Amino acid sequence: MTTTQHGESQGTGPGAEQGVPDPGTPTAPGCPVDHVRLYDPTPPEGRTELWQVLRERQGPIIPVQLEPGVRAWLLLGYQESLAVLQQPHLFSRDTRQWREAAEGRVDLDNTVAMMTWLPNAFYADGAEHARLRAPIMDGLARIDMTAMARTVHRIADGLVDRFVMDGGTDLVGDYAQMLPALVANRLFGLPDSYGHMLNDFTAVIFSEDSQRTEESITGLQQYFAGLVARKAAQPGHDLTSWMLERSADLTMEEVAYAASLVVSASHMMTAHLIGNTMRTLLTDDRIRSAHTDARLSTHDLLDHVMWNESPLQLLAGRIALQDVRIGNARVRRGDALYLGVDAAHRDPAVQRGRSDPDTGLSSGSRAHLTFGAGPHSCPARALGRLVASTGVTVLQERLGGLRLAVPPEELRLLPSPFLHGVRELPVTFTPGRPSEPPAVQTQQMEQVPAVAEEEQPPEDILGRLLSWWRGLGR
């Protein structure tokens, strides 16, 4: 990657034979004419083959459309993606510097995912990023991971108890999506009913139910505003209260955005990491055998999945702070770049030497980009791994005779270009028994013991929101 003084980006777009160019739309400054339309639903077979073809034809970077008329670049190369993540002095997360927004072609309040702007660490650089990130890091550092493992295991057991006697369930909707939401909600120090509501709001935003999306966004805003207001009035031994202790560094509004960031950056990614891992075990005899024979630990299994079936397909865009050359493309200052995580993981340059020559299994390398890299790398990766590994382990411990309820080819991929997973993962198993209630001593040793449910939610923002949500029959 080198800087260049050329004032205009150049490059060749994907050919018309691929069914994705958009030659009829006027070219925005700095972008080629032909673009892959990322806003099109992901085809049933995925985009892996397309990325391979485009990499061979065009190199490590291609032009894309984020939404009709909104141009950006997509990085397909691993080293190119890593370089962008590790050079914040050249590539910013502050989307207000995006030329499309600065010149009025895009409204940052109503644009594609991860290109809006919010006052949290995700969209900040330098000293401002450090200020907004520090309370999150400090709060997460206070988590006792041994005690947290007991908390996560208990929550996972409780979810399995809801369907263990039925002999069948949808592992995505009934388990994988709910577990990280309930864990986050417990970390915030709230009763589990609020966690079910949190899961509902978040899942809808990533679903195809456009009619409920707006009300779910409003619901999430009220959840986090109400969470901070309640914890400011009644602090406890929880992540929100710990972040509020840094009131000299963050306003209450910024704490709400920080708590929201913890959920938005982890919920659906962790859910589909669990889902993709279970789908791999249920459909790949080689992987299942290696895991069963203890040749592939649960954590190495997660890394194998993050390399080969990463739940994160596209990583948040960066804005070029000066003209640069990447591959054959001249990227102009103000251009947006997305990072193709799946494409980067399949880059031949990193594929070689990463697999066991005898089994073909990915090595234990954790250099994948699922958690990002550089100053914006995920601060909660240890917690995310804990939730995912515990979630997978509990299913294997509790569900005997586990198998897919439909042929693998009938599983439907998510249409989102950002997430990779299946919409449902229907399974059957031998009906079992609910788990035994934990002893009082075990509950006391948890990181965040269960908070008693309220007979009548209080008349604060959170309580009124829960009452409204319950009234919808969720």
Side-chain angles (χ1 to χ4, degrees):
M1 182 186 304
T2 57
T3 58
T4 176
Q5 299 302 312
H6 293 282
E8 189 166 330
S9 298
Q10 296 178 357
T12 55
E17 67 276 9
Q18 293 161 35
V20 289
D22 181 36
T25 310
T27 305
C31 292
V33 175
D34 297 338
H35 300 74
V36 174
R37 295 191 294 266
L38 290 185
Y39 56 87
D40 285 344
T42 299
E45 68 278 8
R47 287 192 167 106
T48 298
E49 187 174 339
L50 173 63
W51 301 147
Q52 180 179 343
V53 170
L54 292 176
R55 181 189 290 110
E56 292 172 354
R57 292 182 180 180
Q58 297 179 240
I61 183 171
I62 62 171
V64 295
Q65 279 198 65
L66 304 178
E67 54 190 28
V70 179
R71 272 58 169 200
W73 296 97
L74 176 64
L75 293 170
L76 303 178
Y78 178 88
Q79 291 299 334
E80 290 78 10
S81 296
L82 190 62
V84 167
L85 291 172
Q86 294 178 334
Q87 299 186 83
H89 62 289
L90 293 179
F91 302 98
S92 171
R93 268 302 294 140
D94 188 344
T95 54
R96 293 173 298 182
Q97 303 197 57
W98 187 16
R99 188 174 56 254
E100 297 292 294
E103 296 180 359
R105 289 184 291 276
V106 167
D107 177 5
L108 284 182
D109 292 329
N110 298 285
T111 190
V112 69
M114 294 190 278
M115 292 301 287
T116 54
W117 182 86
L118 294 171
N120 64 34
F122 195 59
Y123 296 96
D125 297 309
E128 180 69 356
H129 173 253
R131 179 183 75 85
L132 295 170
R133 183 180 169 101
I136 299 175
M137 297 292 291
D138 291 351
L140 292 171
R142 293 175 67 169
I143 297 174
D144 179 337
M145 295 302 283
T146 301
M148 194 65 211
R150 287 189 284 268
T151 298
V152 177
H153 202 292
R154 186 178 175 195
I155 294 172
D157 271 333
L159 288 173
V160 173
D161 286 344
R162 294 159 66 102
F163 54 74
V164 69
M165 294 187 292
D166 298 337
T169 194
D170 167 20
L171 288 184
V172 170
D174 296 336
Y175 182 81
Q177 283 187 0
M178 297 180 70
L179 180 59
L182 288 173
V183 170
N185 181 78
R186 186 75 66 86
L187 267 177
F188 295 150
L190 296 177
D192 287 348
S193 54
Y194 292 88
H196 288 286
M197 178 176 67
L198 175 63
N199 171 68
D200 183 52
F201 289 151
T202 307
V204 166
I205 290 173
F206 283 92
S207 74
E208 298 173 82
D209 189 353
S210 58
Q211 293 183 341
R212 286 193 58 209
T213 297
E214 188 171 343
E215 74 174 21
S216 294
I217 292 174
T218 301
L220 279 177
Q221 292 170 341
Q222 293 177 351
Y223 172 94
F224 290 109
L227 167 67
V228 171
R230 183 178 291 187
K231 291 301 174 179
Q234 303 171 14
H237 186 74
D238 56 74
L239 182 59
T240 313
S241 299
W242 296 336
M243 290 193 292
L244 282 166
E245 290 177 7
R246 299 284 298 263
S247 57
D249 300 314
L250 297 187
T251 66
M252 286 183 60
E253 180 185 29
E254 287 172 335
V255 173
Y257 276 112
S260 174
L261 179 58
V262 170
V263 172
S264 63
S266 65
H267 181 189
M268 297 308 290
M269 196 187 82
T270 305
H272 289 293
L273 176 55
I274 296 171
N276 291 352
T277 302
M278 293 307 301
R279 177 164 61 102
T280 298
L281 288 173
L282 291 167
T283 59
D284 192 321
D285 293 339
R286 180 190 56 180
I287 299 295
R288 182 170 60 251
S289 175
H291 184 53
T292 302
D293 296 343
R295 291 181 288 120
L296 190 66
S297 70
T298 300
H299 279 286
D300 284 344
L301 170 63
L302 292 178
D303 286 316
H304 173 85
V305 171
M306 284 188 274
W307 272 112
N308 296 279
E309 297 287 345
S310 175
L312 185 64
Q313 290 288 278
L314 300 182
L315 198 55
R318 299 296 192 268
I319 309 302
L321 296 179
Q322 65 184 60
D323 293 358
V324 296
R325 190 182 190 92
I326 303 177
N328 292 323
R330 295 169 183 169
V331 178
R332 285 184 59 195
R333 176 180 179 179
D335 277 359
L337 299 95
Y338 269 74
L339 294 89
V341 174
D342 178 62
H345 288 175
R346 298 177 191 279
D347 186 338
V350 294
Q351 285 280 330
R352 292 187 293 271
R354 191 171 54 77
S355 297
D356 185 302
D358 296 323
T359 65
L361 302 178
S362 295
S363 70
S365 170
R366 293 185 178 174
H368 50 72
L369 303 179
T370 299
F371 293 114
H376 281 277
S377 62
C378 176
R381 67 175 65 198
L383 180 59
R385 294 184 70 97
L386 171 63
V387 174
S389 62
T390 304
V392 169
T393 299
V394 168
L395 289 175
Q396 293 177 296
E397 291 174 344
R398 298 285 307 277
L399 305 181
L402 186 63
R403 56 192 180 277
L404 278 179
V406 299
E409 59 270 17
E410 292 186 12
L411 296 174
R412 302 184 302 158
L413 289 178
L414 296 168
S416 169
F418 300 100
L419 288 172
H420 172 63
V422 290
R423 305 186 203 193
E424 308 91 12
L425 189 61
V427 296
T428 60
F429 48 85
T430 304
R433 298 170 53 188
S435 58
E436 296 292 330
V440 172
Q441 181 180 7
T442 302
Q443 294 182 49
Q444 292 173 343
M445 293 172 65
E446 291 183 9
Q447 174 69 42
V448 188
V451 181
E453 294 292 343
E454 308 146 338
E455 288 188 18
Q456 182 66 36
E459 279 297 312
D460 59 7
I461 297 175
L462 262 182
R464 292 193 298 271
L465 181 65
L466 182 64
S467 296
W468 169 81
W469 179 77
R470 285 174 170 169
L472 299 176
R474 306 298 179 197

